[in-house]
Amino acid sequence: MNIPVFDFHCDTALALLGESMNEPGSLRKNDLHIDLERASSLAGYCQCFACFTTPYMEDWGKVSPVVVFERELATIQREIHKNQNLISLAYSASDIRANQKAGKMSALLTIEGPAGFGYDPALLEDLWQIGFRITSLGWNEKNPLTGSHKTGGGLTQQGREFVKEAQRLGMLIDVSHISDEGFWDIMNITSAPVIATHSNSRSVWGESRNLTDDMFRAIVSTGGVAGFNMCAEFIGENPTLDTACDHILHLLELDPTGRHIALGGDLDGITNMPAGFSGVQDYPAFADCLHKRGIDEHTITDIFWNNALGVMDKCCM
């Protein structure tokens, strides 16, 4: 089943930089999980490209997260320009629809961890102008905005200001990686749909990166979506695509409309994936597996494409 794919999260920007960050690879064709040649076989494609930073980068490679952020952004901008016959930067759902109609793929800029700009809410407007439309509050660390699923701890006052400013601009708040306390703190102050770009069901597989049923219901109540993550460790033990379907089926029990489930593969940010999935070219196989498990094509198309566009329609004008 070849239907359009809107994927809320990948780490391809960092992966293209490689270990040296001095000889970026090609988005058009590479050995990563995502390249444009493979993605062009899909009926439509929008990929959210995360600029990922964490203060841990200072320890990992003695590189400032500010430098990494700048290089990730420059890499994606350069690759979009080099391949403008295939892909365009999108700022809204209307742009994505127009690109698909014109036979082009879309790229959307997102933030995974604000360490690259010092967690400063005052800089969000500049980032919005560049094209960023989604932001998380952190990765696996405790930071000036919030705790993470690894550390615990809720929002700080600066974190609350960050959420309010992002939502004022029309930037979607992403709760993947956040602590449970931070999640509920956001839900208590949100004025817009909230999304989890790449998180699965904790009831199906008890991993702290996944969402509890109550968390998913809370996201639904805001009009947001949860993007399904292809990381094997978040799906189950020795998972297959059939195991991945278990998560979607459970979320459909909580949300029979199917309008609050999406995709967020975490491609190029993970090592292990379910058997039967090795990259962007395998999304049709996932759709086929969902269909075999009894999900109709209309609902699958919503999960793969329409639901993500719908939440952008509500926020990212």
Side-chain angles (χ1 to χ4, degrees):
M1 184 184 299
N2 192 358
I3 54 181
V5 169
F6 187 131
D7 186 323
F8 265 123
H9 186 82
C10 76
D11 287 291
T12 308
L14 184 61
L16 285 171
L17 286 174
E19 291 185 8
S20 69
M21 293 203 302
N22 293 319
E23 297 180 6
S26 167
L27 183 59
R28 191 180 192 98
K29 183 176 177 62
N30 57 56
D31 294 326
L32 303 173
H33 298 153
I34 292 172
D35 67 32
L36 298 181
E37 289 193 5
R38 282 173 285 158
S40 64
S41 67
L42 302 172
Y45 184 53
C46 176
Q47 181 62 59
C48 293
F49 288 96
C51 288
F52 161 62
T53 57
T54 172
Y56 294 152
M57 287 170 167
E58 298 275 11
D59 299 324
W60 296 343
K62 307 302 181 185
V63 180
S64 164
V66 175
V67 171
V68 177
F69 187 85
E70 291 172 348
R71 292 184 182 177
E72 287 174 323
L73 174 58
T75 295
I76 291 302
Q77 290 174 326
R78 184 197 66 246
E79 289 301 307
I80 292 170
H81 179 72
K82 284 172 61 176
N83 297 285
Q84 57 190 297
N85 62 316
L86 297 176
I87 190 167
S88 292
L89 185 65
Y91 300 88
S92 67
S94 296
D95 290 345
I96 297 166
R97 293 186 180 99
N99 287 339
Q100 187 198 22
K101 188 175 181 180
K104 294 180 74 172
M105 295 174 274
S106 293
L108 199 69
L109 296 175
T110 72
I111 298 160
E112 183 179 36
F117 54 97
Y119 307 96
D120 188 351
L123 296 178
L124 286 171
E125 187 160 5
D126 290 341
L127 294 168
W128 166 266
Q129 294 296 334
I130 291 169
F132 287 92
R133 292 297 181 264
I134 299 170
T135 183
S136 73
L137 274 70
W139 187 59
N140 290 343
E141 76 284 346
K142 190 170 185 177
N143 64 45
L145 305 180
T146 186
S148 75
H149 75 109
K150 292 279 193 182
T151 67
L155 293 193
T156 64
Q157 182 57 37
Q158 186 174 334
R160 290 179 173 85
E161 292 170 5
F162 189 97
V163 170
K164 291 176 181 177
E165 176 62 4
Q167 292 186 332
R168 182 189 71 79
L169 293 165
M171 197 179 289
L172 285 158
I173 292 293
D174 173 17
V175 295
S176 290
H177 285 283
I178 205 166
S179 63
D180 289 6
E181 301 97 317
F183 175 94
W184 291 112
D185 286 345
I186 288 174
M187 289 301 164
N188 286 333
I189 63 172
T190 187
S191 59
V194 171
I195 65 174
T197 58
H198 53 306
S199 295
N200 300 339
S201 169
R202 204 180 297 180
S203 287
V204 176
W205 187 247
E207 157 64 47
S208 63
R209 272 281 286 103
N210 290 340
L211 301 166
T212 67
D213 289 354
D214 284 343
M215 287 176 168
F216 178 69
R217 292 188 187 99
I219 287 172
V220 170
S221 73
T222 71
V225 297
F228 182 77
N229 191 324
M230 282 293 175
C231 178
E233 288 80 3
F234 304 157
I235 297 173
E237 188 174 0
N238 301 317
T240 63
L241 281 179
D242 206 46
T243 319
C245 291
D246 292 342
H247 287 259
I248 303 295
L249 288 165
H250 178 72
L251 295 179
L252 284 170
E253 291 176 359
L254 303 176
D255 170 36
T257 70
R259 298 310 303 269
H260 301 278
I261 309 166
L263 301 175
D266 208 359
L267 305 186
D268 292 318
I270 55 179
T271 302
N272 301 312
M273 293 174 283
F277 194 97
S278 60
V280 65
Q281 72 280 356
D282 292 324
Y283 272 121
F286 186 35
D288 288 342
C289 194
L290 289 167
H291 195 246
K292 288 176 184 176
R293 291 289 298 270
I295 304 177
D296 63 86
E297 185 172 349
H298 175 79
T299 301
I300 296 171
T301 303
D302 283 347
I303 293 169
F304 274 51
W305 185 253
N306 293 325
N307 295 346
L309 286 173
V311 77
M312 284 196 66
D313 277 329
K314 296 171 188 173
C315 297
C316 307
M317 305 302 291

